Amino acid sequence: MIETLKLRPNQRLIAISDIHAHAALLHALLAQVHYCEDDALVIVGDLLERGNEGLAVIRAVMELKKRNPDVRPLLGNWDYSMRRIIDEENVALIWRYIGTKRRQNCNTIFSEMADECGIALESEADVALFLPVIREKYSAILEFLRALPVVLDTGDMIFVHGGIPDEDLDGLDGENIYRYLKNDEFYREDTCFSKTVIVGHIPTMNFRPERQSANPFFDARRNIIGIDGGCGIKRDGQLNALIFRAGEFTFESVCDLPVIRALSDQQGSEGTVNSRYFDKVEIMNLEGPVAKIRHLPTGSALWTTTDSILRDETGFHSEATDEVLNVSAGEEFFLVERTPRGILAKKDGVTGWYYGAWEPVQA
């Protein structure tokens, strides 16, 4: 459940979390940070689901670990859940899950395995017949997932996917590890740590009430760092690498959004509001693909895309921002979404509005 890692003097440590079946982005990020086998590499859980390359991600991480003993993948809630329903042979649950994801136009690790084996999963009976194939053909992957630890302790840093209640690692409940993999409230808790605790699981946009930023979130008071950039979850998500060397933290990121170039200057705004997906809003005005909403926690009026407005039993919710990006002509940044009121764009990990002229940048 708990592993330790002793860093060598001046050894670089790279931490990545929530890859979510995006193998191409993982390889791009490792290339961007110039990863080498002298580095320590910590994968802070959730290799699987939300993307189409789960098998490729697992195989890549297994190969990295084979070549470098300082590659330390940890268990995430999605990795745990997928492994568990296979081990429990929960055919009905697997079939319902596949059906749900198909209705959402999403892939699953089960669909990837079936496609690779040339098997069509069209019924619960097909799943039942396929489970023995999974256990035989993918036994090495299943053993890899079963062996993943929950916590990594380097002496100065603790890595865990969801969060821990305190620094008493010996007191963690080994019979109920899921609470450390999926802790949706960790960033709202008040516990402070002497060791730096690095977590994934919750996209860092949800940490910030003032800015829609996917960059790592540093909470100096509590001594925690969130590094989940929302890859595979947020429309403007990215894959982050937190880099530690000689007592200093830096970061790099990659995303798969199209690159554009600004053709005009734009003065940025200050004092912005970030409406997070769980924040309640009310609809003030609908204008086709865009809507004006009131962010109830602050009373601020924001524009957002209509398709980003969600409704549940408590009311309406929407991810939205009123930030106007500071942009100079000639700068390159990322296109998130076009709207009749301008474009939502991402610059330096921050999503906001750009109203000027732009052109696509050819890859």
Side-chain angles (χ1 to χ4, degrees):
M1 176 175 170
I2 301 171
E3 280 191 358
T4 59
L5 170 66
K6 183 174 177 59
L7 295 176
R8 300 187 301 275
N10 205 40
Q11 184 180 18
R12 187 174 67 153
L13 182 146
I14 302 165
I16 301 171
S17 82
D18 297 86
I19 302 166
H20 283 302
H22 285 73
L25 286 180
L26 171 62
H27 291 302
L29 185 56
L30 292 176
Q32 182 169 304
V33 302
H34 304 291
Y35 165 77
C36 70
E37 291 175 11
D38 289 331
D39 295 322
L41 174 63
V42 184
I43 309 292
V44 195
D46 274 5
L47 287 75
L48 297 178
E49 302 306 279
R50 308 282 191 171
N52 298 318
E53 303 166 325
L55 288 174
V57 168
I58 292 178
R59 287 166 175 156
V61 174
M62 290 173 69
E63 183 63 23
L64 288 165
K65 184 173 174 58
K66 179 180 177 181
R67 293 174 174 273
N68 179 1
D70 288 343
V71 172
R72 302 299 184 90
L74 302 180
L75 190 64
N77 57 294
W78 278 105
D79 314 317
Y80 173 85
S81 297
M82 296 301 100
R83 183 207 74 194
R84 182 174 179 178
I85 60 176
I86 293 172
D87 285 345
E88 293 179 350
E89 301 184 3
N90 197 329
V91 174
L93 180 57
I94 293 173
W95 176 240
R96 287 199 303 273
Y97 176 68
I98 292 172
T100 298
K101 290 302 178 182
R102 284 177 176 172
R103 289 190 293 274
Q104 297 171 348
N105 293 317
C106 297
N107 208 353
T108 73
I109 191 69
F110 305 108
S111 301
E112 286 189 51
M113 290 173 171
D115 290 345
E116 190 172 80
C117 294
I119 295 174
L121 298 179
E122 300 297 341
S123 68
E124 190 173 317
D126 290 339
V127 174
L129 291 173
F130 186 48
L131 271 178
V133 178
I134 292 176
R135 288 194 295 271
E136 179 181 355
K137 182 176 176 62
Y138 299 100
S139 59
I141 285 175
L142 293 175
E143 285 303 315
F144 169 78
L145 291 174
R146 292 183 191 114
L148 290 177
V150 175
V151 176
L152 179 69
D153 184 0
T154 71
D156 296 320
M157 295 173 284
I158 297 172
F159 297 85
V160 60
H161 183 69
I164 49 177
D166 51 49
E167 288 182 39
D168 180 18
L169 300 185
D170 292 334
L172 296 180
D173 182 1
E175 300 299 316
N176 188 13
I177 63 172
Y178 196 69
R179 67 178 67 181
Y180 315 123
L181 307 179
K182 182 176 170 59
N183 183 349
D184 296 346
E185 302 301 319
F186 182 70
Y187 73 101
R188 291 178 174 175
E189 295 172 1
D190 203 46
T191 307
C192 297
F193 299 89
S194 60
K195 297 181 180 181
T196 304
V197 177
I198 293 99
V199 298
H201 183 59
I202 295 293
T204 59
M205 294 178 187
N206 299 343
F207 285 61
R208 298 176 166 98
E210 77 290 343
R211 198 167 216 196
Q212 204 167 94
S213 171
N215 294 331
F217 177 83
F218 296 81
D219 186 333
R221 183 185 68 83
R222 294 185 60 204
N223 200 18
I224 66 171
I225 305 174
I227 64 172
D228 178 2
C231 175
I233 297 176
K234 305 292 188 182
R235 61 184 173 180
D236 46 357
Q238 62 193 38
L239 189 61
N240 292 324
L242 181 73
I243 302 168
F244 175 83
R245 190 173 212 166
E248 298 291 332
F249 287 104
T250 58
F251 70 91
E252 299 268 356
S253 65
V254 295
C255 71
D256 53 9
L257 294 168
V259 181
I260 61 174
R261 182 182 296 112
L263 299 178
S264 55
D265 296 340
Q266 175 174 275
Q267 180 66 40
S269 59
E270 297 181 0
T272 62
V273 173
N274 174 27
S275 179
R276 297 164 289 185
Y277 82 94
F278 49 80
D279 288 344
K280 292 183 179 180
V281 302
E282 63 180 19
I283 299 173
M284 301 172 65
N285 187 32
L286 288 172
E287 294 185 8
V290 294
K292 192 173 188 180
I293 60 173
R294 188 174 307 283
H295 183 241
L296 295 182
T298 62
S300 299
L302 311 172
W303 285 95
T304 190
T305 55
T306 304
D307 60 9
S308 73
I309 300 174
L310 306 174
R311 186 175 189 176
D312 61 19
E313 64 278 3
T314 67
F316 292 103
H317 308 262
S318 178
E319 292 185 338
T321 180
D322 61 354
E323 179 155 1
V324 177
L325 296 176
N326 192 59
V327 178
S328 298
E331 280 193 288
E332 294 182 358
F333 50 114
F334 298 102
L335 172 65
V336 177
E337 190 167 351
R338 304 187 196 198
T339 84
R341 295 187 57 84
I343 64 168
L344 278 168
K346 186 167 75 167
K347 178 187 172 190
D348 300 328
V350 176
T351 298
W353 293 93
Y354 176 68
Y355 301 111
W358 56 276
E359 64 182 6
V361 174
Q362 300 301 318

